[in-house]
Amino acid sequence: MREATDLLLFDARDTRIAARVRRHGYADRYPHQFTIRAESAYGGETELSKIVNGKGDWMFYGHANAAGTGLDAWWLLDLNAFRAGLIRQATNGCRILSGDKRNADGTAFKWFDIRSFPKEPKLVLAQGR
């Protein structure tokens, strides 16, 4: 009656944020890459499986500085855009650059190149260097 509003909707839901910080040195070697654990040493469900199956909203991904007191670089990634990019790459011809990395401890990671994701929806919500 006073504000031309008939209905008011509240979006009060949890926002789930995954977080990963790589050791110092990786930012220089892999400046456009982020990794997600794809295989665990003990066979448990991995971060990649959880994310692909719809869990998580955002991912904070950073590279530690030399002193270990802060970050050299970081991104806030939209996991819905990540999932959309993976789904659509087969249908729209936009190939996402990725690969596999195995560690001696029995774990494995999948790496992804941020630059290869579609422009929309935006994968990178915020970043810092």
Side-chain angles (χ1 to χ4, degrees), residues 18-74:
R20 177 156 161 70
V21 177
R22 287 181 93 172
R23 287 179 294 212
H24 176 69
Y26 287 99
D28 293 333
R29 293 181 6 213
Y30 308 106
H32 304 288
Q33 230 180 61
F34 66 99
T35 61
I36 302 174
R37 187 181 317 274
E39 217 174 288
S40 74
Y42 305 105
E45 187 176 12
T46 65
E47 288 82 0
L48 183 59
S49 173
K50 292 173 191 174
I51 291 168
V52 167
N53 287 328
K55 295 197 165 77
D57 300 302
W58 297 344
M59 174 187 272
F60 178 86
Y61 192 88
H63 292 274
N65 64 17
T69 58
L71 302 171
D72 281 337
W74 60 269

Side-chain angles (χ1 to χ4, degrees), residues 35-117:
T35 61
I36 302 174
R37 187 181 317 274
E39 217 174 288
S40 74
Y42 305 105
E45 187 176 12
T46 65
E47 288 82 0
L48 183 59
S49 173
K50 292 173 191 174
I51 291 168
V52 167
N53 287 328
K55 295 197 165 77
D57 300 302
W58 297 344
M59 174 187 272
F60 178 86
Y61 192 88
H63 292 274
N65 64 17
T69 58
L71 302 171
D72 281 337
W74 60 269
W75 298 289
L76 183 61
L77 306 175
D78 183 337
L79 293 177
N80 286 321
F82 173 77
R83 289 184 279 267
L86 293 180
I87 291 166
R88 293 179 180 141
Q89 74 174 331
T91 59
N92 68 11
C94 179
R95 186 177 172 301
I96 294 171
L97 298 177
S98 65
D100 299 299
K101 169 74 172 119
R102 295 195 81 59
N103 292 331
D105 66 359
T107 60
F109 291 84
K110 190 89 166 162
W111 61 263
F112 299 92
D113 188 316
I114 284 177
R115 301 168 297 178
S116 66
F117 278 79

